[in-house]
Amino acid sequence: MAPPRPLRPLRRNPASAALGRRSTPLRLCLCTPLLAVLGFFLGSQKFPAWIASGGVPPLRRALLPGLVLGVYPTCASAGQRSVEEVAKSLDKALREDIWFVSGRVRKEFFSLAFKFRDPDVSLAGIEAYGKGVAALFDQEKTRAEILDVRATGPSEIEVRWRLEATVGLPPTLPVRIATAELKPYVVTSILRLDQDGLVEFQEDVFDQPTSELLKSARITFR
């Protein structure tokens, strides 16, 4: 049996020496080449050269056979997208699940400093918003439909949606003594983006006054 070959010291890669000077954000990921390829198709900025050439990552440490520690560019941040691109992404996401009603917010669209306001409510924090709307609307009876999503300014997006709501009364308490079925109305959600392209403020405007909606509401006591 041949004696084992001595381990060779790792060479210092010029690319790794320049990591501290790179402007492109990086993420350190535990990956196989397959996962790295999937990462590209899920939104990486640039196809890593070491995959294109069929080689190995420029910076690696062998951990297990087939498992490497690699460094490659992250996907583009929201701040690198135009307001039109953000609007397009929001349109697709909202048509899959209208979190204005369900409360299942897609947090990747929102700033940590998010604030909300409508004619009756003001609050701060995207989690508080999600929990609030989920508790307000009867999830089985409320119906909503996205009409259009468009960029209306360099940092502003407008979402128009139709709402046929059934809400619990009183809306501020966990125990409901009645429900109110409101006639359909249109809500315009004005979304303001911060410098990173994240929604930092949302204001909802109704096409009818809340008082008029409540006057025509059908009240059912439990």
Side-chain angles (χ1 to χ4, degrees):
M1 178 181 297
R5 289 179 297 177
L7 294 175
R8 291 182 299 175
L10 289 171
R11 295 181 180 179
R12 182 175 178 81
N13 192 307
S16 64
L19 287 177
R21 300 192 298 272
R22 293 185 62 170
S23 59
T24 303
L26 298 174
R27 67 165 172 251
L28 199 64
C29 65
L30 194 62
C31 62
T32 63
L34 174 61
L35 291 179
V37 172
L38 291 176
F40 165 72
F41 285 108
L42 291 174
S44 295
Q45 288 177 319
K46 184 178 180 182
F47 199 95
W50 60 270
I51 296 178
S53 63
V56 296
L59 180 65
R60 65 161 177 22
R61 295 290 186 273
L63 300 177
L64 293 172
L67 192 63
V68 297
L69 193 63
V71 176
Y72 56 90
T74 63
C75 58
S77 67
Q80 295 172 305
R81 296 184 295 172
S82 67
V83 65
E84 290 80 11
E85 290 173 316
V86 176
K88 184 177 180 180
S89 297
L90 278 169
D91 189 309
K92 182 178 184 296
L94 282 167
R95 292 183 190 278
E96 292 173 353
D97 188 349
I98 305 179
W99 59 73
F100 297 152
V101 172
S102 72
R104 293 186 292 268
V105 293
R106 297 276 291 272
K107 294 183 181 180
E108 64 267 29
F109 287 107
F110 294 91
S111 165
L112 293 176
F114 173 79
K115 294 182 179 180
F116 170 82
R117 181 175 67 202
D118 72 10
D120 306 299
V121 177
S122 294
L123 56 81
I126 190 58
E127 289 193 10
Y129 171 79
K131 291 177 181 179
V133 296
L136 173 64
F137 296 111
D138 186 309
Q139 297 297 314
E140 294 183 358
K141 297 181 179 179
T142 297
R143 299 290 179 265
E145 174 191 10
I146 297 296
L147 301 177
D148 55 66
V149 180
R150 60 193 183 96
T152 54
S155 60
E156 188 175 282
I157 295 172
E158 184 178 282
V159 182
R160 292 176 60 250
W161 50 293
R162 182 182 291 110
L163 177 62
E164 186 175 350
T166 298
V167 299
L169 298 176
T172 56
L173 296 179
V175 178
R176 303 288 189 249
I177 62 173
T179 58
E181 297 179 28
L182 309 180
K183 65 180 182 180
Y185 60 103
V186 174
V187 183
T188 299
S189 296
I190 302 168
L191 312 179
R192 188 174 68 207
L193 309 183
D194 64 12
Q195 62 183 1
D196 294 320
L198 300 174
V199 179
E200 67 175 356
F201 181 73
Q202 175 178 332
E203 181 175 13
D204 284 0
V205 180
F206 308 151
D207 70 342
Q208 301 175 52
T210 305
S211 57
E212 293 299 319
L213 291 170
L214 291 176
K215 283 181 183 178
S216 61
R218 177 184 174 184
I219 307 297
T220 303
F221 289 92
R222 294 183 174 182

